[in-house]
Amino acid sequence: MNTKPLKHIAVIMDGNGRWASRRKLPRTMGHRQGVEAAKRAVEAAGNLDIPYLTLFGFSSENWNRPEDEVNELMHLLRLYLRGETAELARNNVRLRVIGDRTPFADDIVELIENAESLTLGNTGMNLTIALNYGGRHDILQAAANWAKMCQEKGLAPDVHNAETYFPGFLMTHDLP
């Protein structure tokens, strides 16, 4: 039996639309239920003293969904950030968003930055939300930044330097 305390749970929030469709409900109703499930996951992780929780909430592939569904997901994201940021701050939760923010509307980016700023000093649970995040994209961006750093510092782009510096360029570099 493993007696090490659990440090990090990651949840891929998938299947909300299918859940709704099986119940003959609009897919958007499933997404709304997914937001409620995310809130329960954050609360449960906090109650269990789990220091890191990552929610994969909107993948880069999700942009290919029908426009009205993407619009509803963006609406829910806005509601979550507006409605939960103060609660996260009160509960000493630090929120961080990983992923490529460039496709998001300016107001969403501003809400993300505000939430991150407001909770930056919190020392309780670390909540990471992956939005428009893809592991492949993260690795490619990290590789490009690592290569640039090697060039700027005159370092050889070899295995030793990769082991030393590369992980620090990943969006997930500070997650256990």
Side-chain angles (χ1 to χ4, degrees), residues 3 7 11 74 93 119 131 135 137 159:
T3 58
K7 288 185 179 181
V11 179
M74 293 302 110
V93 175
T119 63
L131 299 174
H137 181 262
V159 172

Side-chain angles (χ1 to χ4, degrees), residues 104-124:
F104 291 104
D106 290 343
D107 69 310
I108 290 176
V109 174
E110 187 176 323
L111 286 167
I112 291 169
E113 290 171 351
N114 178 59
E116 289 177 326
S117 176
L118 185 64
T119 63
L120 182 63
N122 290 353
T123 58

Side-chain angles (χ1 to χ4, degrees), residues 134-146 166 170:
R136 184 174 293 161
H137 181 262
D138 192 8
I139 291 168
L140 291 172
Q141 292 292 62
N145 291 328
W146 170 70
F166 182 81
L170 292 168

Side-chain angles (χ1 to χ4, degrees), residues 2 9 12 21 26 45 49 63 72 81 91 98 110 118 128 144 149 166 171:
N2 186 357
I9 293 178
I12 298 172
S21 296
D49 292 323
W63 293 109
E72 176 65 13
L81 290 167
N91 289 313
I98 60 172
E110 187 176 323
L118 185 64
T128 301
M149 187 264 325
F166 182 81
M171 291 179 198

